[in-house]
Amino acid sequence: MPKISEQRRESRRQQILEAALACFSDNGFHQTGMADIVKRSGLSQGAVYLYFESKEDLIEALADDRHRREAVLNSVAQGARDPLEGLKALLRVYADWLTDPSGDRRRRVGVHGWAEALRSRRVHARVVEGIDMPRTIIVALVERAQHERLLRNDIGADAIARTLIALFQGFVLQVVWGEDIDVDACMRAVDGMLDGLRTAKTNNKARPGVKR
């Protein structure tokens, strides 16, 4: 049999992942079997199992794909000269993702993944890995801002990072539940929280007319 090209191979892999994403989004992990994914993909059972041996392999592959996309998004913040502006840019990127209609299935599957992480060590490892990536970047930005005396240093950078991530995890849940969220208003609230962490020096700079 002739060998398929690498491009064709990747196209089939993505076809299977899109089918898995749709199935997991609609029915969750436990109610989805490999037979459902095979049917949704339009490929043969042998073709699907050639790429993925189990449902767990598909869950991990979807998580890996998401991490690669997020790594690109996170690079927006890493190159910022001003750590506070970099932090706000990073938060805005994630806020925009909350309102992106094309991300609906991925948000739903992400929530299913959080639940699955309670029972599967493999899924738990991928979920924690996905959280560690933005957390590490936020910690680095906050530490830079504290070093430059732009943010108070009486609160640890890791605590600030985990708090911001928890806020966005809560936003994801509300969006998946179908709540009508004013993301712009929420981002202004987050900006206000960050402003509360500014040093007196940067607060004065941000407010014309304040005596220094």
Side-chain angles (χ1 to χ4, degrees):
M1 293 182 63
K3 293 183 179 180
I4 64 173
S5 67
E6 188 61 34
Q7 182 179 4
R8 179 61 175 165
R9 184 184 299 277
E10 180 59 23
S11 175
R12 281 191 176 182
R13 179 181 179 277
Q14 288 301 319
Q15 185 176 345
I16 298 167
L17 288 176
E18 288 299 322
L21 184 70
C23 289
F24 292 148
S25 173
D26 292 345
N27 301 308
F29 295 136
H30 290 297
Q31 298 302 316
T32 298
M34 285 296 286
D36 300 310
I37 296 169
V38 169
K39 182 178 180 180
R40 191 78 172 246
S41 72
L43 299 173
S44 69
Q45 179 174 316
V48 172
Y49 277 95
L50 183 64
Y51 292 87
F52 301 100
E53 295 182 358
S54 68
K55 186 168 64 175
E56 286 72 21
D57 288 344
L58 279 160
I59 294 171
E60 286 192 342
L62 286 171
D64 289 341
D65 275 8
R66 185 181 69 251
H67 296 167
R68 281 192 289 271
R69 281 191 298 274
E70 290 181 348
V72 175
L73 298 178
N74 293 337
S75 67
V76 172
Q78 288 179 303
R81 295 182 63 182
D82 183 322
L84 287 181
E85 291 306 313
L87 181 56
K88 288 188 176 183
L90 179 64
L91 297 177
R92 173 51 65 183
V93 166
Y94 277 90
D96 290 343
W97 177 74
L98 288 173
T99 57
D100 181 3
S102 67
D104 180 61
R105 282 179 171 171
R106 296 189 184 279
R107 288 188 291 268
R108 289 177 58 85
V109 170
V111 172
H112 285 306
W114 296 344
E116 186 70 9
L118 296 174
R119 61 176 295 277
S120 168
R121 290 184 178 180
R122 289 178 66 180
V123 176
H124 178 269
R126 285 294 185 267
V127 168
V128 171
E129 182 182 346
I131 294 172
D132 279 347
M133 185 187 301
R135 182 179 63 83
T136 300
I137 293 172
I138 293 172
V139 166
L141 288 168
V142 171
E143 287 179 339
R144 277 181 56 197
Q146 290 175 332
H147 179 73
E148 295 175 20
R149 299 184 179 180
L150 301 174
L151 289 180
R152 292 162 42 188
N153 60 9
D154 58 331
I155 301 176
D158 186 68
I160 293 172
R162 290 183 184 277
T163 299
L164 291 172
I165 289 171
L167 283 172
F168 274 86
Q169 287 173 323
F171 291 151
V172 171
L173 279 174
Q174 292 177 65
V175 169
V176 169
W177 289 335
E179 295 291 316
D180 185 15
I181 299 178
D182 185 339
V183 174
D184 286 335
C186 290
M187 285 306 300
R188 288 195 296 273
V190 173
D191 285 345
M193 295 176 189
L194 289 175
D195 286 342
L197 293 173
R198 288 178 180 268
T199 61
K201 180 179 179 180
T202 53
N203 270 326
N204 288 346
K205 285 183 177 180
R207 299 175 185 173
V210 176
K211 294 182 179 180
R212 300 177 186 176

